[in-house]
Every structure is written in structure tokens, then in C-alpha cells.
Amino acid sequence: MEFIKQKWSAAMIVTLLSVLWSSCDKQPIGPTGPDPVGPAAPGQYISLKDFRALYPGSGNFTIPAGTKKFRAVVISNSANEAAGNFRLQDESGSGIRLYAAIGSPVYSLGSVLEVDPTGGGILELYNGDLELKSVPQAKVVPLSGTITVTTRNATIADIITNKDLWASSLVKVTGVTITQGSTNGTGTNYTLTDASGTITMFVRTASGITVTTGSNKTVTGYITIYQSAAELVIRSAADIQ
């Protein structure tokens, strides 16, 4: 009987080790992708809402010395933007168009950037859209991690009314009818219509985005201003549901 007990104990040990080995050989269960960027220290950054408020309303405005850095996430797809243009939004809900210095890398959708706008940065209205330009490349620093920003639920009338405040920030519009309009050498214009009004959506051919026209669509994108008129820009075909 003693011999049988020893054999049974050995079998149990082998089985237990096998289970433990199998368990340890599996990938951990949990969130995937980059971790969120850590919280900023109080007063470390200027919000994009306050940064936009620095602009006096016309002309070229050089960012004053002593202005704090801002931290924001890229919400645009560079393939559906003019070369060098990137749309940034932060947790305040506001955004800005960054015209990057020549030679800068392509900042991909979802990249988090810390921007020091002093030492040459200029705010101006470009076709009616507030833009930050002339920031030295060394003062635009990619950070690891992610930032979660809010997408506003809005009607097209809301977008048109608030375009100067909401430019370069994300919105979602429901109940939209999409119709194809004119095409040129750069891309195609589409008209978005909801119960409150209409707005143009321009899609660059180079983006490779296929737009599905039709009614009762939900469109997510960011607001841009072209020749003083509000427009909506998408990042991929998945922005249309």
C-alpha cells in the first residue's frame, strides 16, 4: 500500500506541473495597445482652448516667450491632408492645425505630441482656419502613450455655427445623406446633408479612402475651414457607418 501511495503522489505532481506550465505559457489577458499618457502636473501645459485664445483675431501672431507647451493627440490621417498639415486635439475639446517644419516626420493618427510653440511659432488664419506654423522641428516631441479626446455629437448646423471654436476637433453627425459631387486632380467633393443643413466633405485621392454614398449614415471626422466655410474631413472609410 505504501508503494501505491508513492506512485499516486508522483502522478499528481506530474499533472500539477503540466497544468502550471500550460497556464504560464499563455499570453496575459488585458488591454492591448499603448498605455495612456500619465497625467500632467498642474499647470504644466497650456490647454489648446487657452492657446487658441491667444490669437488676436487677424494677422500673424508670434507666440510670446514664456508661453507654456501643449500636449495633444494627432486626430488626422496625413494621407487625407495637404503635405505638412496635422490636426491636433487635447482633453479641453479644442484643436489646432499644425503646419510642421520642412523635414519633419509624418506624425501618424493617434500620435501624442508635446509642442513648445515659443522660439518662432506663429499663429495665423489660413483660409479662415487657425494654424500654428514655424515651430522648429526639435520643439515638436513625440511622447509614448495615448490621450483620449472627446468626439462631439453635433448637427451640421452646429458645426457651421461653431466652426471657429470647433475647428480641428472631432465631431459625429447622424442621419446623414452623402452624395458625390465634383472631382478634380486632387480628390472628390461630397455633400453631407442632415435635417439641419449641408456641408462639404473633401476626400483626397491619395488617401485611398472609398466613400459609400447613401442615406442614414453616421459620419465621424474633424472640422476644417476652407475659404471661411466649414468642411468635414474623415480619416478612413471606417469613419462612415
Side-chain angles (χ1 to χ4, degrees):
M1 293 296 292
E2 185 68 25
F3 177 71
I4 293 173
K5 285 184 179 180
Q6 289 176 351
K7 286 185 63 178
W8 177 248
S9 298
M12 290 180 64
I13 291 171
V14 170
T15 302
L16 179 60
L17 289 174
S18 176
V19 171
L20 289 173
W21 177 263
S22 176
S23 299
C24 293
D25 196 37
K26 295 183 182 298
Q27 292 292 327
I29 298 173
T32 60
D35 291 330
V37 173
Q44 181 179 359
Y45 296 115
I46 186 172
S47 71
L48 282 178
K49 179 180 179 180
D50 291 339
F51 183 71
R52 290 180 65 92
L54 296 175
Y55 187 65
S58 62
N60 285 3
F61 176 75
T62 300
I63 306 301
T67 301
K68 294 177 181 177
K69 301 175 184 179
F70 64 80
R71 185 182 69 179
V73 62
V74 178
I75 60 168
S76 55
N77 173 1
S78 60
N80 201 29
E81 269 284 358
N85 283 345
F86 302 92
R87 305 290 174 152
L88 310 180
Q89 184 176 344
D90 72 359
E91 298 95 330
S92 72
S94 292
I96 196 76
R97 176 164 72 179
L98 173 68
Y99 182 60
I102 294 174
S104 295
V106 174
Y107 304 114
S108 59
L109 176 66
S111 299
V112 177
L113 304 179
E114 181 184 75
V115 180
D116 180 355
T118 61
I122 294 172
L123 283 172
E124 70 167 1
L125 287 176
Y126 185 80
N127 280 324
D129 206 348
L130 189 60
E131 173 183 273
L132 174 63
K133 66 177 185 178
S134 301
V135 177
Q137 180 182 339
K139 293 196 170 191
V140 180
V141 180
L143 302 177
S144 60
T146 61
I147 288 178
T148 300
V149 295
T150 301
T151 300
R152 292 183 180 89
N153 294 312
T155 65
I156 290 174
D158 291 335
I159 293 170
I160 294 170
T161 299
N162 296 285
K163 68 181 190 302
D164 294 321
L165 292 175
W166 293 359
S168 300
S169 67
L170 291 167
V171 293
K172 178 186 287 186
V173 188
T174 59
V176 176
T177 297
I178 304 175
T179 55
Q180 184 173 331
S182 60
T183 298
N184 58 34
T186 304
T188 302
N189 285 302
Y190 295 86
T191 299
L192 310 184
T193 305
D194 71 358
S196 70
T198 63
I199 195 171
T200 297
M201 178 179 76
F202 183 70
V203 177
R204 293 176 179 270
T205 304
S207 71
I209 297 172
T210 299
V211 175
T212 303
T213 58
S215 59
N216 201 28
K217 304 288 187 181
T218 296
V219 182
T220 300
Y222 58 87
I223 301 167
T224 184
I225 301 173
Y226 180 67
Q227 295 181 349
S228 300
E231 296 189 359
L232 197 62
V233 179
I234 58 175
R235 290 79 53 79
S236 71
D239 278 340
I240 300 174
Q241 299 293 325

